[in-house]
Amino acid sequence: MSSQPVHGLPFLPGNSYRDPTPSVPYRTLCSFFLSQKSLFHRSQTLTYRNGYSRPVLPTVGVGREPVTVNQLSQAEVDELANKRPTLTYGRVTQAPPSSFTPVYVVFDKKVLRFEGYFKEAVPISQDEVWRVRRVSVYYYLEDDTISVVEPPVENSGIPQGTLMKRQRHPKNDHGDHYHWKDLNVGINLTLYGRTLRLVSCDRFTQDFLESEGIELNPPDLIPTDPYTELRRDPDRTFTTPPDFDKLKQFLTMDRKVLRFFSLWDDSGSMFGETRPVIIHYYLMDDTVEVREVHERNDGRDPFPVLMKRQHLPKSVKDLRDTFPKCVLELSDKEVTEWYSPRDFMVGRHVTIMGRKFFLYDCDAYTRDFYQQNLGIQDVTPVDVKKPPEEEARQEIPPYNGYGLLEDSLQNCLTLVPKPPKKDVIKMLENDHNILRYAATLDSMNPEHSGRRFILSYFLSDDTVSIFEPQIRNSGIIGGKFLEKSRIPKPGSSMNDPVYYGPADFTIGAVIEVFSHRFIITDADLYVLNYMKAHQHQFPCEVLKSLEKHLQPQEGEREPG
């Protein structure tokens, strides 16, 4: 093996290997494979870019060379790019055109609607042999399903609605199903043994069938139901009817109710009052119902029906004492006259079960009913609103002298007294701010001439406390003379007192504290400093009196 580097070996498995620690002669021999590699760490295969892991692309560097063997030229790369791939086995399948749309997408929410009817035999009836029932046939184009719906008819007594659920219906014994090409106007459609006659269709169905080349038959009419026509006119076969036609009244006056707004004045009884009620008169069967109107926080149980719906007698015959009124209802034999709409007039009183009700208004339908049927044009509502009551002025009783004025006032404001509100911000700002003054007792008794007191004014709650220093052999027990309390000025009223403030404590001022007179003789140096810092809160006279009294004392103390 020569020492020259080997060139031209294919880069295939088995033709190249690497020696981590080769000798110098062998490194010269394998320079093509090793490329003078000097780094033997494990190379990185993944890196992160923009938050995603990506493989590391090979780069030209120490120990790496780009592979130049068996590389394609630019002409070969262009030829491969323009070359169409072919399958090795089988035929090439054609891809569906891009404009293809499924049928369930094209015909989504597109329904053909036909109107029709079918005749139903009535075997057990003397009034009718067959009846006509209207139906609507819906054909869903997306899946070729059919549903049949019968619109409800009022007071028909027949379960109506969806007769046949949405499904694919067979049209013959071979399993074929109905298609939209089989539908047309003027044909019979048999579904599960029931023959439907299609008489018309809507505009969308007509346009769709004509666009598909189907010629529509002329529309047909739905025959009238003989029994329905019979019921529209009352039976006039009898000549001498025994009573009023209650059936006609029930059919013509169904759900027609007269509504009156009235007042039940029960103020004559114990704990009675005037209550608003609503009286309903049902024209269908001439029954009366009384409902009570509840207001918010009226203190009554939520039972709106004051009298249930019933026939209301107006005049009754003289019944014997043995007539069981509590268990037997009054019939036509006991009642000579029943209440009618003429007995309920706006602006009059009506007596119901021994209670008088004043009718002051009615609704719009009741007003029209009286004008059209009874010829009563004057249906004017009556104003029953009471004038607003004058609110009683809550006068605070005079202060009786017990306790503090603020505490006694809470007994008049609320049922459960609460402590008076305090100025919390003032208490926090002036906490531990106390103005101290020296005072003497102004008294005619010579024994009190030598007594000295300390007045402390608390700025947090504007209270004053008085303390008397103990003097030996004076015969007077010193200590607390007055607890913290607000001191009213003399001459102020008891209901609206005016209390002493920090501006009232000046040198030489007389402070009257509950029939005791004190003369301010001295003040603390803190008082002067506080007033200088808050000059806008104190008069100039107060500040000048303190400066005149305390500044010489400061000058005397400075040399010492």
Side-chain angles (χ1 to χ4, degrees):
M1 182 178 295
S2 62
S3 61
Q4 297 180 357
V6 181
H7 298 281
L9 290 178
F11 191 69
L12 295 175
N15 293 336
S16 63
Y17 74 94
R18 297 177 182 179
D19 187 6
T21 56
S23 60
V24 176
Y26 190 72
R27 181 179 302 174
T28 305
L29 179 62
C30 301
S31 61
F32 173 77
F33 303 103
L34 299 177
S35 300
Q36 298 180 359
K37 183 177 180 180
S38 60
L39 299 177
F40 302 98
H41 63 276
R42 189 177 183 85
S43 61
Q44 183 178 359
T45 59
L46 295 176
T47 184
Y48 283 88
R49 180 177 296 176
N50 297 330
Y52 298 93
S53 60
R54 300 181 58 183
V56 179
L57 300 178
T59 57
V60 179
V62 180
R64 296 183 181 180
E65 288 184 357
V67 179
T68 59
V69 181
N70 297 333
Q71 288 187 351
L72 299 178
S73 62
Q74 185 64 30
E76 293 174 346
V77 172
D78 296 340
E79 182 181 359
L80 290 176
N82 298 327
K83 188 176 181 180
R84 189 172 183 179
T86 58
L87 297 178
T88 306
Y89 303 100
R91 299 176 59 184
V92 179
T93 59
Q94 297 294 334
S98 59
S99 61
F100 171 75
T101 306
V103 65
Y104 58 84
V105 177
V106 176
F107 295 126
D108 184 27
K109 297 180 181 178
K110 294 183 179 181
V111 184
L112 305 182
R113 178 181 178 182
F114 296 89
E115 298 294 336
Y117 69 94
F118 69 94
K119 293 184 178 181
E120 184 181 27
V122 183
I124 306 175
S125 178
Q126 297 179 358
D127 299 330
E128 55 180 341
V129 180
W130 49 269
R131 64 172 61 99
V132 178
R133 300 177 64 176
R134 300 172 60 98
V135 294
S136 298
V137 180
Y138 298 94
Y139 184 91
Y140 300 87
L141 294 173
E142 58 178 338
D143 54 356
D144 299 329
T145 55
I146 300 176
S147 66
V148 181
V149 178
E150 181 181 7
V153 179
E154 187 177 7
N155 294 329
S156 64
I158 303 173
Q160 296 169 332
T162 303
L163 295 183
M164 298 181 187
K165 295 183 178 179
R166 180 178 173 181
Q167 56 183 304
R168 300 182 67 185
H169 293 273
K171 65 178 179 179
N172 51 32
D173 298 337
H174 302 289
D176 300 333
H177 296 86
Y178 277 104
H179 195 260
W180 54 267
K181 298 180 181 180
D182 303 325
L183 303 179
N184 203 332
V185 177
I187 65 172
N188 294 331
L189 183 65
T190 303
L191 302 177
Y192 294 119
R194 180 173 290 176
T195 302
L196 309 178
R197 180 72 177 180
L198 306 181
V199 296
S200 63
C201 64
D202 58 0
R203 187 65 181 176
F204 172 76
T205 306
Q206 181 181 354
D207 296 341
F208 177 79
L209 295 179
E210 290 179 353
S211 65
E212 297 296 335
I214 299 177
E215 184 179 357
L216 292 176
N217 299 328
D220 199 356
L221 298 177
I222 299 178
T224 58
D225 189 8
Y227 184 71
T228 304
E229 295 295 331
L230 179 63
R231 290 191 58 179
R232 288 180 179 177
D233 298 330
D235 190 6
R236 301 184 183 276
T237 56
F238 58 89
T239 55
T240 56
D243 291 321
F244 179 73
D245 191 359
K246 295 185 179 180
L247 177 60
K248 181 180 178 181
Q249 182 184 5
F250 175 80
L251 295 178
T252 57
M253 296 297 179
D254 186 22
R255 293 185 296 183
K256 295 182 179 180
V257 184
L258 304 181
R259 186 182 186 188
F260 299 92
F261 303 96
S262 60
L263 292 177
W264 173 27
D265 191 2
D266 191 31
S267 58
S269 62
M270 183 180 295
F271 308 111
E273 59 182 356
T274 302
R275 306 183 194 176
V277 296
I278 296 176
I279 299 177
H280 289 158
Y281 187 93
Y282 295 87
L283 297 173
M284 181 184 66
D285 53 357
D286 295 326
T287 54
V288 181
E289 178 189 50
V290 181
R291 287 180 168 268
E292 185 175 0
V293 179
H294 287 276
E295 298 178 355
R296 189 175 182 181
N297 298 328
D298 58 356
R300 300 188 178 277
D301 295 333
F303 296 105
V305 179
L306 186 63
M307 187 189 74
K308 68 178 183 178
R309 180 179 174 182
Q310 57 182 306
H311 289 278
L312 192 62
K314 183 178 180 181
S315 60
V316 185
K317 297 179 181 179
D318 294 335
L319 302 177
R320 298 181 180 179
D321 297 337
T322 58
F323 184 80
K325 296 181 180 180
C326 60
V327 295
L328 187 63
E329 296 181 356
L330 298 177
S331 62
D332 295 339
K333 296 181 179 180
E334 290 83 15
V335 179
T336 58
E337 186 180 0
W338 300 89
Y339 272 102
S340 64
R342 291 186 177 274
D343 299 323
F344 294 88
M345 300 297 297
V346 175
R348 298 181 183 178
H349 288 82
V350 60
T351 303
I352 300 177
M353 299 295 182
R355 296 173 176 83
K356 275 192 174 184
F357 295 88
F358 178 70
L359 310 180
Y360 65 89
D361 197 3
C362 60
D363 58 0
Y365 172 76
T366 306
R367 190 176 295 106
D368 297 340
F369 177 83
Y370 275 90
Q371 293 176 358
Q372 297 175 5
N373 297 276
L374 302 181
I376 301 174
Q377 303 296 331
D378 187 13
V379 188
T380 306
V382 181
D383 188 10
V384 294
K385 293 183 179 180
K386 295 182 179 180
E389 299 180 358
E390 296 182 0
E391 296 184 0
R393 297 182 58 184
Q394 297 181 358
E395 297 181 359
I396 300 176
Y399 178 56
N400 55 6
Y402 293 99
L404 299 178
L405 178 63
E406 293 80 4
D407 294 337
S408 300
L409 183 61
Q410 296 299 322
N411 296 321
C412 305
L413 299 179
T414 58
L415 184 62
V416 179
K418 298 180 180 180
K421 294 183 179 179
K422 299 180 180 179
D423 192 350
V424 181
I425 298 178
K426 181 179 179 180
M427 295 176 63
L428 294 176
E429 291 178 352
N430 298 313
D431 190 21
H432 301 297
N433 291 339
I434 304 173
L435 306 180
R436 293 180 176 85
Y437 302 90
T440 59
L441 185 62
D442 185 11
S443 177
M444 301 298 295
N445 192 352
E447 296 179 358
H448 301 318
S449 60
R451 301 179 64 178
R452 298 293 181 266
F453 299 89
I454 298 176
L455 276 71
S456 300
Y457 188 92
F458 297 87
L459 296 173
S460 60
D461 53 358
D462 296 330
T463 57
V464 178
S465 67
I466 301 177
F467 180 80
E468 182 181 5
Q470 187 174 4
I471 301 176
R472 297 181 63 182
N473 299 326
S474 63
I476 299 175
I477 301 175
K480 185 182 295 185
F481 185 82
L482 177 68
E483 293 185 352
K484 290 179 60 176
S485 60
R486 301 178 67 182
I487 303 175
K489 292 183 179 180
S492 60
S493 62
M494 186 176 295
N495 296 328
D496 189 14
V498 179
Y499 298 97
Y500 279 105
D504 299 324
F505 292 84
T506 59
I507 303 300
V510 178
I511 307 300
E512 186 173 346
V513 181
F514 303 116
S515 302
H516 295 276
R517 295 167 57 88
F518 292 90
I519 301 176
I520 305 299
T521 59
D522 197 359
D524 196 354
L525 184 61
Y526 175 78
V527 178
L528 179 62
N529 296 334
Y530 180 82
M531 289 187 178
K532 287 182 179 181
H534 302 81
Q535 295 181 6
H536 61 281
Q537 298 180 3
F538 300 93
C540 298
E541 296 79 6
V542 178
L543 184 60
K544 289 180 180 179
S545 65
L546 289 175
E547 290 178 351
K548 183 179 180 181
H549 180 76
L550 296 177
Q551 279 180 356
Q553 298 180 4
E554 295 177 2
E556 295 176 358
R557 295 173 184 175
E558 288 178 359

